[in-house]
Amino acid sequence: AGPGLRLEAALSILLLLASTQALVPSHRLSARDLARLRAVLERPFTDVRAAYYSIVGLSSLGVRVADEKAACKFIKSHVDSSSVESLFYAAQSIQVLSGCEVTISNETRELLLAAVSEDSSVTQIFHAVGALSGFGLPLASQEALSALTARLSKEESVLATIQALETASYLSQQADLSSIVEEIEDLVARLDDLGGVYLQFEEGIETTALFIAAAYKLSDHVGTEPAIKEDQVIQLMNAIFSKKNFETLSEAFSVARAAGSLSQNRFHLPIIVVPDGPAAVSHHQPVLKLQVTNVMSQLLTQVSVKLDQAKSVSSKATVLQQLPFTLSGDFFELNFMNVKPASGYYDFSISVDGDKRFIANKVELKVKVSTEVGITNVDLSTVDKDQSIAPKTTRVTYPAKAKGSFTADSHQNFALSFQLIDVNSGAELIPHQTFVRLHNQKTGQEVVFVAEPDSKNVYKFELDTSERKTEFDSASGTYTLYLIIGDATLENPILWNVADVVITFPEEDAPSTVQSKNLFVPKPEIQHLFREPEKRPPTVVSNTFTALVLSPLLLLLILWFKIGANISNFSFAPSTIVFHMGHAAMLGLMYVYWTQLNMFQTLKYLAILGGITFLAGNRMLAQKAVKR
Amino acid sequence: KALDAFLLYVLLTGALQFGYCLGVGTFPFNSFLSGFISAVGSFILGVCLRIQINPQNKGEFQGISPERAFADFLFANTILHLVVINFVG
């Protein structure tokens, strides 16, 4: 009754969850990624910091350094006893290496203890505490904690807070670390959500990975579950393991530590369900195989995998419920074909249990069931258009070809009907692709039609020459008829040469030569039409009118002469001459302007000439007035 | 009278230009316009000068001597023809 009730409760919760979209990990460290990570971490050490990254990183992945003695010697020779940071790297590395002992002088110890104070930065406190802890030296946890909290209130950066988390994990559990533990929640609030799939700090993936490592280290140390929700853990995972190329050693180190944390902590273990190959079953391969791994692609076999339900995508009917997978070797197997499902796609809801810490343990998988198609009841017939003669039907069986050829011309139509069934179950199938292809043997033309099923799922195709002559370009001749059947869920797509059809089009439409519809020949060249100049009257007319227009001038001169306009008052005073010359010059300037100058130049000259003329004219007219 | 003759001349020129345009077409329109405007403008200025010079109108043009009127006539003509030449193309 107990487990049964628990199962009911779990089922009801699952049904509730099924309505919300469960987040599934999209990235993990596959075996290849792991190999790449290891390659980066296994580079030879350049300094103590590199040694620390390599040694501690590899140990997070569960890998021991190749030559531990050499590593130990390297660290001992390269450590800088006056730098707290260097001592930290040395101490942490030595802790991981087996059989590596080092003696710490009093001065070093004093240096480290002095660094644990409110005056040092959080990073310095972190390094000092870590070094003291790594060397196994006594440490006053309460003092360290108060220094840390005081410092943390002044330094708000994400990295400082992460380092504080890790520092706290070195302190004794007797101290009240709850204030530091609360920082985890604050840090989670500072993460950026990218599209609901990724969660990372704006400082980057390295910082996010270090956060994971530190948060879980501290949580394990104090024994309280970290304030990170399941979905958030998965999103963090996606972000961290999306990076597949590690440029710097520190990046590789941070990802390795995050991977180690997520595969071994007391609270959250993300698991990944991986199908073996494509998730497809058929009669030849009826068993669906799955593997369950952790983030580092390590196989988990001490778990139980169960199919909660399998629903057909097209009909939404539940085909299977509550069936456990059986473990065989490394794989969890389920024989799906036992329930004889129709071909198509199925949504599998799978749950993995075995440990309370599992997260992302409810997975949705799309499984394809394939089958083989068979064509039956294939009837080829020529139907007389006038309905006067009964149709002649020939039955053909796949894969034979019909003997003789069929004709389709203006009197007769050609018809084809067939049925498609699932070979294994006998049910009728409606695949996605049912084409009838007619290929002209002489010209290489081909025309493809779609055969449609009627209400009884019988496929019919009829060729009427008068209706279809445009598709054929009215090219008469012998065509080979092919039947093409295809679908994603079919294992045996079919291309079947069914028969030969002689198609005759009415004579008057037949083109003399069959033009190949080649789209890639050069097109006729387009000649650019330049703007036609406007129609001008013939030169004769223009010239005539020019003369005509000038004639009034003659008339004027004659009139003036007749009237006797007196030039007699013309005095040869200098101003008069200047005036007349200036005026003449201005008129000349007008002509030059018309032919050559622009406005600005003209205005310049006009100003000069006009000035002279004006002065002269003024004087002249004044004299005239006086004379009068 | 000399002025009248001049005015007649200008009038005739303008009329002929207009007739040409009517007969042959408006290409090039800008040239036609500038020529025509030149004729019309000159006519108007001539008329102004005539009015100002006429001794019978002396009462209305107290401060303007005939010389002054003539000078104005010349000046206005200059500006007119500057614009006309600009426009004739």
Side-chain angles (χ1 to χ4, degrees):
Chain A
L5 265 176
R6 273 250 294 274
L7 199 65
E8 295 300 317
L11 249 179
S12 57
I13 295 174
L14 175 68
L15 284 170
L16 259 171
L17 279 178
S19 55
T20 63
Q21 199 180 35
L23 196 59
V24 175
S26 57
H27 294 284
R28 65 185 166 110
L29 275 183
S30 68
R32 247 185 304 173
D33 302 327
L34 260 177
R36 239 181 275 139
L37 192 54
R38 273 182 66 171
V40 174
L41 290 171
E42 279 170 354
R43 288 195 213 136
F45 310 144
T46 47
D47 57 8
V48 188
R49 190 160 117 163
Y52 161 70
Y53 284 149
S54 298
I55 296 170
V56 178
L58 285 169
S59 89
S60 306
L61 295 176
V63 175
R64 302 219 72 91
V65 178
D67 189 350
E68 295 198 338
K69 278 217 178 59
C72 192
K73 226 186 332 180
F74 179 91
I75 292 170
K76 281 200 228 177
S77 56
H78 282 78
V79 71
D80 175 10
S81 299
S82 57
S83 150
V84 176
E85 192 178 336
S86 179
L87 288 166
F88 166 75
Y89 295 138
Q92 290 292 316
S93 315
I94 288 170
Q95 216 186 14
V96 169
L97 297 169
S98 61
C100 197
E101 299 284 333
V102 67
T103 45
I104 309 297
S105 67
N106 273 344
E107 294 151 356
T108 320
R109 186 153 55 111
E110 292 304 312
L111 173 69
L112 290 172
L113 284 170
V116 182
S117 83
E118 270 182 40
D119 303 320
S120 330
S121 68
V122 173
T123 315
Q124 281 175 318
I125 300 177
F126 165 55
H127 286 152
V129 170
L132 286 166
S133 160
F135 289 135
L137 298 171
L139 165 69
S141 290
Q142 199 55 50
E143 277 176 33
L145 180 64
S146 54
L148 193 63
T149 23
R151 212 46 227 184
L152 202 56
S153 57
K154 293 191 206 135
E155 282 180 52
E156 297 266 306
S157 74
V158 170
L159 194 57
T161 321
I162 293 175
Q163 285 174 337
L165 291 178
E166 206 169 330
T167 318
S169 69
Y170 296 124
L171 301 175
S172 148
Q173 283 164 323
Q174 310 286 342
D176 181 17
L177 301 167
S178 55
S179 65
I180 308 289
V181 173
E182 276 163 16
E183 295 290 339
I184 296 180
E185 210 173 329
D186 291 342
L187 278 175
V188 169
R190 285 162 86 161
L191 288 162
D192 292 328
D193 187 328
L194 303 173
V197 179
Y198 301 104
L199 206 58
Q200 64 181 61
F201 287 114
E202 65 176 3
E203 285 86 351
I205 289 180
E206 197 178 320
T207 317
T208 318
L210 287 175
F211 163 66
I212 291 268
Y216 281 103
K217 191 160 175 195
L218 181 61
S219 304
D220 281 354
H221 184 68
V222 297
T224 37
E225 190 176 344
I228 312 176
K229 299 200 203 82
E230 273 194 32
D231 275 353
Q232 289 173 323
V233 177
I234 296 173
Q235 284 178 309
L236 284 162
M237 225 177 93
N238 287 342
I240 294 170
F241 299 129
S242 67
K243 199 168 178 63
K244 305 293 187 186
N245 276 310
F246 312 104
E247 288 130 20
T248 62
L249 196 53
S250 58
E251 231 171 37
F253 165 72
S254 64
V255 172
R257 285 209 49 201
S261 294
L262 285 173
S263 41
Q264 264 186 336
N265 66 70
R266 283 160 65 179
F267 302 100
H268 297 147
L269 283 186
I271 56 158
I272 297 159
V273 174
V274 183
D276 181 37
V281 291
S282 67
H283 270 272
H284 307 291
Q285 215 180 328
V287 179
L288 181 66
K289 288 192 187 174
L290 301 173
Q291 272 186 320
V292 179
T293 71
N294 65 5
V295 292
M296 291 207 297
S297 296
Q298 289 168 335
L299 287 175
L300 302 170
T301 46
Q302 307 293 329
V303 299
S304 70
V305 182
K306 195 174 61 167
L307 171 69
D308 289 322
Q309 64 174 340
K311 266 201 319 195
S312 156
V313 172
S314 46
S315 67
K316 308 257 182 279
T318 308
V319 174
L320 210 55
Q321 282 195 60
Q322 300 301 319
L323 202 60
F325 279 69
T326 46
L327 176 64
S328 129
D330 284 338
F331 293 96
F332 289 90
E333 297 182 345
L334 181 80
N335 188 328
F336 190 44
M337 295 310 279
N338 276 344
V339 289
K340 299 203 192 317
S343 66
Y345 286 92
Y346 291 86
D347 281 327
F348 274 39
S349 304
I350 298 171
S351 67
V352 180
D353 295 304
D355 195 318
K356 273 188 298 169
R357 294 173 292 167
F358 285 160
I359 56 175
N361 56 340
K362 304 229 180 298
V363 184
E364 299 276 325
L365 201 61
K366 215 176 192 81
V367 179
K368 177 170 89 168
V369 176
S370 321
T371 185
E372 285 156 357
V373 70
I375 317 185
T376 58
N377 300 341
V378 185
D379 288 326
L380 300 162
S381 43
T382 43
V383 182
D384 197 63
K385 275 199 205 175
D386 303 330
Q387 308 282 325
S388 56
I389 313 172
K392 280 181 300 202
T393 312
T394 317
R395 173 149 287 202
V396 195
T397 39
Y398 175 72
K401 182 166 165 175
K403 295 195 237 309
S405 61
F406 297 82
T407 36
D409 53 26
S410 45
H411 305 296
Q412 303 166 37
N413 288 347
F414 171 76
L416 167 70
S417 80
F418 56 92
Q419 267 188 303
L420 298 171
I421 54 160
D422 184 339
V423 163
N424 298 307
S425 68
E428 284 153 353
L429 277 185
I430 310 281
H432 286 154
Q433 300 173 325
T434 51
F435 300 134
V436 177
R437 172 175 172 247
L438 289 152
H439 177 91
N440 187 327
Q441 289 165 343
K442 249 193 313 191
T443 66
Q445 258 181 305
E446 65 174 28
V447 187
V448 183
F449 298 100
V450 179
E452 305 261 336
D454 63 10
S455 52
K456 291 201 270 298
N457 283 343
V458 177
Y459 281 87
K460 281 198 172 33
F461 166 69
E462 195 159 326
L463 180 62
D464 186 343
T465 49
S466 48
E467 277 176 21
R468 302 283 188 194
K469 60 176 184 241
T470 41
E471 278 99 337
F472 285 91
D473 270 348
S474 299
S476 310
T478 313
Y479 286 78
T480 19
L481 185 89
Y482 290 90
L483 196 59
I484 303 175
I485 310 286
D487 193 83
T489 56
L490 290 182
E491 292 191 324
N492 60 333
I494 291 175
L495 175 67
W496 176 26
N497 183 352
V498 183
D500 288 329
V501 184
V502 178
I503 306 182
T504 318
F505 292 97
E507 276 307 313
E508 61 267 14
D509 297 327
S512 50
T513 52
V514 178
Q515 297 143 327
S516 62
K517 273 206 170 111
N518 193 355
L519 295 169
F520 302 105
V521 293
K523 289 212 161 40
E525 200 172 320
I526 305 171
Q527 292 291 358
H528 180 69
L529 274 171
F530 286 101
R531 188 169 157 234
E532 307 259 345
E534 294 208 19
K535 277 217 156 104
R536 302 183 91 167
T539 332
V540 180
V541 180
S542 305
N543 288 346
T544 317
F545 266 100
T546 312
L548 214 58
V549 163
L550 288 173
S551 62
L553 188 66
L554 278 168
L555 184 69
L556 175 70
L557 289 170
I558 295 167
L559 278 174
W560 270 352
F561 192 64
K562 266 217 178 134
I563 297 169
N566 53 345
I567 329 171
S568 51
N569 266 347
F570 196 76
S571 56
F572 282 92
S575 48
T576 324
I577 298 178
V578 172
F579 168 73
H580 281 102
M581 297 294 282
H583 194 225
M586 270 162 55
L587 292 174
L589 179 67
M590 288 295 149
Y591 175 75
V592 176
Y593 177 32
W594 183 34
T595 47
Q596 281 169 19
L597 301 174
N598 63 28
M599 180 64 101
F600 300 108
Q601 292 166 314
T602 316
L603 280 177
K604 195 168 56 172
Y605 295 132
L606 195 67
I608 301 168
L609 285 174
I612 299 168
T613 315
F614 175 71
L615 289 171
N618 214 10
R619 196 141 0 124
M620 179 190 83
L621 289 171
Q623 284 172 357
K624 274 252 170 71
V626 165
K627 252 200 226 160
R628 207 159 44 82
Chain B
K1 277 205 231 141
L3 204 75
D4 282 343
F6 176 70
L7 287 177
L8 179 68
Y9 152 70
V10 171
L11 188 72
L12 275 179
T13 313
L16 271 174
Q17 280 186 349
F18 192 64
Y20 172 81
C21 182
L22 283 178
V24 187
T26 57
F27 180 81
F29 196 55
N30 58 319
S31 302
F32 157 67
L33 269 183
S34 83
F36 192 63
I37 297 287
S38 162
V40 170
S42 299
F43 186 78
I44 291 169
L45 287 173
V47 167
C48 284
L49 182 64
R50 195 174 184 286
I51 291 173
Q52 286 181 331
I53 286 182
N54 196 345
Q56 292 168 338
N57 286 345
K58 209 162 183 166
E60 299 190 27
F61 296 103
Q62 283 293 352
I64 305 176
S65 63
E67 284 75 23
R68 169 74 194 280
F70 181 65
D72 285 342
F73 170 76
L74 281 182
F75 181 62
N77 255 313
T78 310
I79 296 179
L80 173 71
H81 284 92
L82 182 70
V83 174
V84 159
I85 300 289
N86 185 31
F87 198 52
V88 81

